[in-house]
């Protein structure tokens, strides 16, 4: 689809190939909206971890909106290849690194961690997500069906996180947390 940017719009060219993520799915749009708001805040995140990057759409969106460094992570080698191609095509290789390592093997803390993956995977990875989240940092969780919101909230209830109101689109939810300092 051809598109001409209007004003200061950030435009990303994406080819999802065999990976998930064109930007039109409800969970992707919710995450992109949340990333945009956080990057437009008084203290924007300087770096981000994108867990389950797929096509790299969220990493690319964050870079296009001004996030200085993004680590895009996916355990699917095909998704990493697709994400790398999209990063190169959009000339964000200086800002975005792609990693195929499992989350538990990654190092570093981030101001923003985004996981647009299934509800059960968010819960399974909760301790690793927290380990990568800097105190005061933001955690965005999506890929969660409305009927699984309570399950995810219950799964994260024991972590040192402040929760914010749920955002919804169609049958999907996006949860925002902030790690207590």
């Amino acid at each position: 689809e051809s598109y001409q940017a209007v004003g200061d719009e950030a435009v990303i060219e994406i080819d999802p190939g065999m990976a998930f993520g064109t930007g039109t799915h409800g969970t992707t749009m919710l995450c992109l909206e949340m990333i945009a708001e956080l990057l437009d805040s008084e203290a924007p995140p300087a770096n981000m971890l994108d867990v389950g990057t797929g096509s790299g759409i969220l990493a690319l969106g964050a870079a296009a909106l001004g996030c200085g460094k993004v680590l895009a992570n996916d355990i699917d080698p095909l998704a990493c290849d697709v994400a790398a191609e999209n990063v190169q095509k959009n000339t964000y290789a200086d800002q975005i690194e792609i990693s195929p390592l499992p989350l538990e093997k990654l190092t570093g803390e981030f101001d923003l961690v985004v996981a647009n993956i299934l509800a059960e995977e968010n819960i399974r990875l909760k301790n690793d997500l927290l380990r990568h989240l800097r105190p005061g940092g933001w955690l965005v969780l999506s890929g969660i069906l409305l009927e699984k919101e309570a399950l995810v909230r219950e799964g994260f209830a024991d972590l040192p996180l402040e929760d914010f109101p749920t955002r919804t689109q169609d049958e999907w939810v996006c949860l925002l947390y902030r790690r207590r300092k």
Side-chain angles (χ1 to χ4, degrees), residues 7-155:
D8 63 349
E9 287 181 328
V11 178
I12 297 168
E13 185 179 336
I14 195 91
D15 180 354
M18 297 295 289
F20 181 83
T22 61
T24 60
H25 193 270
T27 61
T28 309
M29 286 194 283
L30 286 166
C31 287
L32 286 170
E33 289 171 7
M34 196 73 72
I35 291 167
E37 287 179 26
L38 291 169
L39 287 170
D40 194 38
S41 68
E42 287 183 22
N47 61 14
M48 179 179 116
L49 171 61
D50 176 14
V51 179
T53 197
S55 69
I57 185 67
L58 298 179
L60 286 163
L65 293 169
C67 190
K69 287 289 178 188
V70 180
L71 178 57
N73 172 249
D74 206 303
I75 58 171
D76 179 353
L78 179 62
C80 288
D81 290 344
V82 169
E85 288 173 18
N86 285 318
V87 166
Q88 287 290 39
K89 183 185 312 179
N90 288 279
T91 65
Y92 287 108
D94 289 345
Q95 287 171 262
I96 302 173
E97 176 187 347
I98 310 291
S99 173
L101 292 176
L103 186 59
E104 63 271 10
K105 293 192 177 185
L106 290 179
T107 59
E109 286 187 329
F110 299 84
D111 298 326
L112 173 59
V113 174
V114 180
N116 186 17
I117 55 180
L118 298 174
E120 293 81 2
E121 284 300 292
N122 274 311
I123 296 167
R124 184 181 71 80
L125 296 171
K126 71 178 190 175
N127 291 318
D128 288 313
L129 293 169
L130 183 70
R131 184 172 57 83
H132 291 294
L133 186 61
R134 184 171 285 131
W138 297 97
L139 176 63
V140 176
L141 303 176
S142 199
I144 305 162
L145 288 165
L146 277 168
E147 65 260 19
K148 299 214 175 182
E149 177 185 357
L151 176 73
V152 176
R153 288 220 180 262
E154 183 178 307

Side-chain angles (χ1 to χ4, degrees), residues 162-180:
E162 175 186 2
D163 64 325
F164 292 81
T166 301
R167 297 212 185 166
T168 62
Q169 182 164 335
D170 305 319
E171 69 272 16
W172 300 98
V173 300
C174 184
L175 306 178
L176 176 65
Y177 291 96
R178 188 165 198 186
R179 183 168 182 176
R180 293 186 182 102

